[in-house]
Amino acid sequence: MNQEEQIDILAIGDMVTDAFIRIEDAAVHCKIDNTACELCMSFGDKVPYESVEEIRAVGNSANAAVSTARLGLKSALIAAVGNDLNGKNCLETLAKNGVETGYVSISEEFPTNYHYVLWYDVDRTILVKHAPFTYTIPEFNVYPKWMYLSSLGESSMAFHTDILDWLHQHPEIKLAFQPGTFQMKMGSEGLRGVYERADFLCLNKEEAERILGLPTTDIKILLEDLAKLGPKIIIVTDGYNGAYAYHHGDMYFMPIYPHTPFERTGAGDAFASTIVAALARGKTIEEALLWAPINAMSVVQYVGAQRGLLTETQIKAFLTKAPNDFVPKRIN
């Protein structure tokens, strides 16, 4: 990508290699209301696993960059890798997927992030460790249309301030925010400026409750309270129950595209990034809501967050076969 060429989506966030370890000798224990579930295995024992597979160049922001590139947009990623084989492989994977890698820095101090994914049944538990990479906003000859901010490590608070300062200098750039684990720990107050500046916010129902400090509550209350933080468009996903959207006071429910999942990693990333891609293409929120569940459905048919990502043509083909009730519904 020529630096004189405008980037549609500039994603920012840590990139990792995921090692998917498929296990069978385990169990899941939940409360009676099916919350607070825990993955249980024998302690102090040798636990067999079925297989292990490494998936390169993943993470919320990397997934979004690949997703939007596959949907025909010019995407780039600000991230960091170590000067090691994992880092080299991540960069090659991004390039093969059409993502501009010129803004990925190479660290001599820290290794490339490497996560262990315990895959049981159709869900996963991820053991995460983020290297304390130092990030900066690069110089641009032509500024991007959208910034897509997602998962960064615990040491990134100062960088969030730099991002906000930069965005205030460039109000024409739209901000999409999909909070990662450590960003959620910072809470709505810790990142108040980011929420206020966001044109688009996407998170799941449990994450919304965590950020707002609320117990499990009505989805309309969650949407209204999130809107008070400042984002213009809000998406709250609720797994197999569908997703909800808030825009200019209007609330919508969007059902899932019918499917049976194989492995659920990346469904949220696919949903959020597809909405952003559709909006960047000038689609309405109602049109964007038709695209997103299809890409999320496709992703969970494969191991990892990127193999199932679709092109615009493929999404439109699925739309022609959608059931009659696969439409966004106003709920207020």
Side-chain angles (χ1 to χ4, degrees):
M1 187 184 298
N2 189 311
Q3 286 211 0
E4 297 295 335
E5 194 174 3
Q6 188 174 35
I7 295 168
D8 294 309
I9 310 292
L10 176 67
I12 301 180
D14 286 350
M15 177 166 55
V16 310
T17 292
D18 277 347
F20 276 79
I21 304 169
R22 188 162 196 181
I23 55 178
E24 290 188 343
D25 192 7
V28 176
H29 296 168
C30 304
K31 289 184 177 180
I32 195 168
D33 60 356
N34 211 33
T35 63
C37 296
E38 297 177 338
L39 177 66
C40 301
M41 295 179 287
S42 297
F43 179 69
D45 200 355
K46 294 180 179 179
V47 178
Y49 67 90
E50 181 181 319
S51 62
V52 61
E53 182 177 1
E54 290 185 326
I55 309 292
R56 311 287 184 181
V58 292
N60 299 134
S61 298
N63 297 338
V66 171
S67 172
T68 53
R70 202 160 294 177
L71 287 167
L73 297 170
K74 295 179 178 64
S75 72
L77 176 67
I78 294 177
V81 294
N83 188 13
D84 50 32
L85 182 59
N86 282 330
K88 179 183 176 182
N89 288 337
C90 283
L91 288 171
E92 289 177 352
T93 299
L94 283 181
K96 287 178 182 177
N97 280 286
V99 177
E100 167 61 36
T101 63
Y103 305 114
V104 178
S105 60
I106 299 176
S107 171
E108 298 292 340
E109 185 177 2
F110 302 108
T112 302
N113 291 319
Y114 196 96
H115 293 174
Y116 295 89
V117 184
L118 305 182
W119 174 18
Y120 177 70
D121 194 16
V122 299
D123 233 319
R124 81 287 182 273
T125 301
I126 308 177
L127 308 182
V128 305
K129 183 179 181 180
H130 290 256
F133 293 119
T134 300
Y135 291 120
T136 58
I137 302 291
E139 295 293 329
F140 292 94
N141 294 325
V142 182
Y143 293 104
K145 295 178 182 177
W146 280 80
M147 175 184 284
Y148 192 110
L149 176 61
S150 194
S151 183
L152 287 165
E154 289 181 282
S155 62
S156 64
M157 190 65 197
F159 184 50
H160 285 84
T161 301
D162 293 342
I163 289 172
L164 272 178
D165 290 343
W166 189 77
L167 287 170
H168 286 321
Q169 295 172 32
H170 304 285
E172 75 281 4
I173 299 174
K174 294 185 180 297
L175 174 63
F177 185 36
Q178 182 195 358
T181 302
F182 297 116
Q183 289 159 328
M184 283 182 277
K185 283 185 178 180
M186 296 175 192
S188 58
E189 284 302 317
L191 291 179
R192 174 167 288 279
V194 177
Y195 288 100
E196 289 176 345
R197 178 61 173 78
D199 294 274
F200 172 83
L201 172 68
C202 185
L203 62 177
N204 66 38
K205 187 171 182 287
E206 292 74 23
E207 291 167 346
E209 292 162 357
R210 191 183 319 162
I211 287 170
L212 293 169
L214 296 173
T216 301
T217 189
D218 182 85
I219 191 68
K220 292 182 180 180
I221 295 174
L222 287 177
L223 290 171
E224 289 170 349
D225 284 0
L226 288 169
K228 292 174 184 176
L229 298 179
K232 296 179 179 64
I233 297 175
I234 299 164
I235 299 291
V236 175
T237 61
D238 192 17
Y240 216 72
N241 295 320
Y244 301 85
Y246 181 99
H247 184 221
H248 292 320
D250 294 330
M251 296 183 187
Y252 301 88
F253 167 72
M254 186 67 204
I256 65 162
Y257 194 94
H259 68 282
T260 299
F262 178 61
E263 193 278 307
R264 288 196 176 108
T265 301
D269 297 342
F271 199 104
S273 60
T274 303
I275 294 279
V276 172
L279 294 174
R281 284 187 169 279
K283 303 293 184 183
T284 66
I285 186 63
E286 292 93 336
E287 291 170 317
L289 284 168
L290 289 170
W291 284 23
I294 293 175
N295 222 0
M297 171 277 299
S298 181
V299 161
V300 301
Q301 307 305 309
Y302 302 84
V303 179
Q306 296 178 6
R307 288 178 183 167
L309 291 170
L310 301 172
T311 65
E312 180 178 350
T313 299
Q314 290 170 322
I315 286 177
K316 288 180 176 178
F318 275 106
L319 266 177
T320 65
K321 299 177 285 186
N324 293 333
D325 63 349
F326 185 73
V327 292
K329 302 176 181 67
R330 283 280 299 273
I331 57 173
N332 67 333

